């Protein structure tokens, strides 16, 4: 019934008292929809910058933005400008970050199956860190033979975080990293660093340990368990760096509350202290979702409203699983509201669906909407800034939406809307 909770909206969101219309970055959302079309990702640039600054402040230098959450040249530049390193997990993300002008030394390369050419490209770009994930990758790095390349070893700490199975990564049964419990992490260190701490091996120079236990984690205690699991192994190695990965949870729906970033870092640092990790260790993290998610909302146009008497109402919009696959993949929940009446009560129950040819194409199951919702309305879903645009597809040959950044009354398109011809660009 209740209006959309304010804390799900971006930082500069403001509701016009007279009209009830929502502005972000000083711009009216209905005007943006009219100018740039829908579906449209609208990012509050001030929100992104504030979150980056907060990350930098609470974690210090070394913290990286996990670009898989949302990446385009403008975002890579923004994260770099705000003093963050950028975590890239494929040659593609590497290419975008480099094209944006992020210096190689500010990049961290991840991936459980990096090809030799991806490794080569990263080394040529002078990436700051490569996070080594498998014995086969060590073979490849040894063949490439750059002993000065700084490396982190990715360790699977054997911690099952409380989150969706698909985004859990720290448990022993994982495709990522080297297991601690199995002894493979220790074997990998033997190969990466045959000599003393700080001495280079054939694959590069090991400077630290990395772990990542999963994503959308609300329980800070999961990170304490991660540190607990890593402490003895890490301390014995006498290495200068420990990265605890990303994963801080974000509120998507009414009733959810995410822990502040400051609390996340304080909890991790206290756990490091309590478990004997030497003071002076560079303790870092790689937040993605917590930087980008709440910075954006998606605007859609309502095209069809179908009332099935005694069953439910389907509200169809002009996007769907191609711009937000998270409900289909993880059963993720979202809220919806009308930017023309952002404070309105939402008594009308409806399921918001996309325009794709399958029943699973749901954006919000059992949404609550204002009573006067009508065809032609601009409908918004908040908290779509992470893993929406970055996981978008062309399913059913639907062109991907545009992305605009708004700030201080100005909008700039940072990713243009795909055209129908873009859908043919690779066809021969
Ligand atoms: N570091 C590593 C090594 C990661 O694999 C990830 C996310 C992060 C950092 C950033 O995690 P975050 O702070 O964003 O939670 N598509 C899924 C999420 C997949 C996360 C993949 N790895 C979703 O939409 O929920």
């Amino acid at each position: 019934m209740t209006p959309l909770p304010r804390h799900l909206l971006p930082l500069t969101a403001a509701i016009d008292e007279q009209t009830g219309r929502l502005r972000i970055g000083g711009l009216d959302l209905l005007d943006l929809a009219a100018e740039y079309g829908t579906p449209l990702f609208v990012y509050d640039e001030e929100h992104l910058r504030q979150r980056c600054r907060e990350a930098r402040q609470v974690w210090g230098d070394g913290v990286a933005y996990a670009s898989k959450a949302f990446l385009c040249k403008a975002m890579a530049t923004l994260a770099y400008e705000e003093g963050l390193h950028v975590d890239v997990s494929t040659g593609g993300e590497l290419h975008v970050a480099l094209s944006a002008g992020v210096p190689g030394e500010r990049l961290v390369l991840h991936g459980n199956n990096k090809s030799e050419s991806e490794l080569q490209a990263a080394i040529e770009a002078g990436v700051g860190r490569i996070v080594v994930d498998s014995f086969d990758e060590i073979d490849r790095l040894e063949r490439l033979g750059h002993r000065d390349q700084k490396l982190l070893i990715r360790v699977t700490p054997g911690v099952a975080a409380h989150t969706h199975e698909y985004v859990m990564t720290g448990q022993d049964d994982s495709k990522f990293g080297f297991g601690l419990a199995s002894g493979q992490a220790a074997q990998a260190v033997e190969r990466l660093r045959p000599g003393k701490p700080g001495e280079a091996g054939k694959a590069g120079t090991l400077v630290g340990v990395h772990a990542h236990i999963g994503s959308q984690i609300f329980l800070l205690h999961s990170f304490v368990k991660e540190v607990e699991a890593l402490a003895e192994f890490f301390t014995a190695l006498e290495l200068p760096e420990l990265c605890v990965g990303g994963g801080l949870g974000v509120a998507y729906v009414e009733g959810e509350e995410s822990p502040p970033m400051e609390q996340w870092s304080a909890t991790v640092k206290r756990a490091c202290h309590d478990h004997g990790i030497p003071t002076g260790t560079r303790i870092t993290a790689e937040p993605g979702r917590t930087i980008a998610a709440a910075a954006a909302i998606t605007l859609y146009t309502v095209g069809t409203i179908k009332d099935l008497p005694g069953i439910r109402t389907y509200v169809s919009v002009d996007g769907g699983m191609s711009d937000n696959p998270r409900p289909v993949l993880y059963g993720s929940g979202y809220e919806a509201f009308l930017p023309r009446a952002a404070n309105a009560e939402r008594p009308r129950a409806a399921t918001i669906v996309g325009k794709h040819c399958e029943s699973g194409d749901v954006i919000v199951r059992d949404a609550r909407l204002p009573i006067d919702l009508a065809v032609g309305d601009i409908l918004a879903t908040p908290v779509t800034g992470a893993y929406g645009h970055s996981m978008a597809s062309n399913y059913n040959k639907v062109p991907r939406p545009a992305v605009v950044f708004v700030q201080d009354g100005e909008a700039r398109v940072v990713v243009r809307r795909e055209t129908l011809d873009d859908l043919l660009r690779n066809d021969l």
Side-chain angles (χ1 to χ4, degrees), residues 64-69 87 89 110-111 131 154 164 166-167 169 176 210-212 214-217 243-249 252 264 285-291 326 329-330 332 334 386-388 390-391:
Y65 166 61
S67 71
K68 67 206 79 183
D87 141 9
S89 59
H110 274 285
V131 185
R154 178 154 177 178
H164 193 287
Y166 291 3
V167 294
T169 51
F176 297 103
H210 175 282
H212 170 74
S215 197
Q216 187 58 354
I217 298 166
C243 179
V244 296
L248 185 65
Y252 282 86
W264 177 37
E286 291 159 350
R289 190 191 308 270
T290 193
I291 301 230
R326 300 194 66 257
L329 284 173
Y330 320 114
S332 308
Y334 285 85
Y387 304 109
S390 68
M391 295 206 296

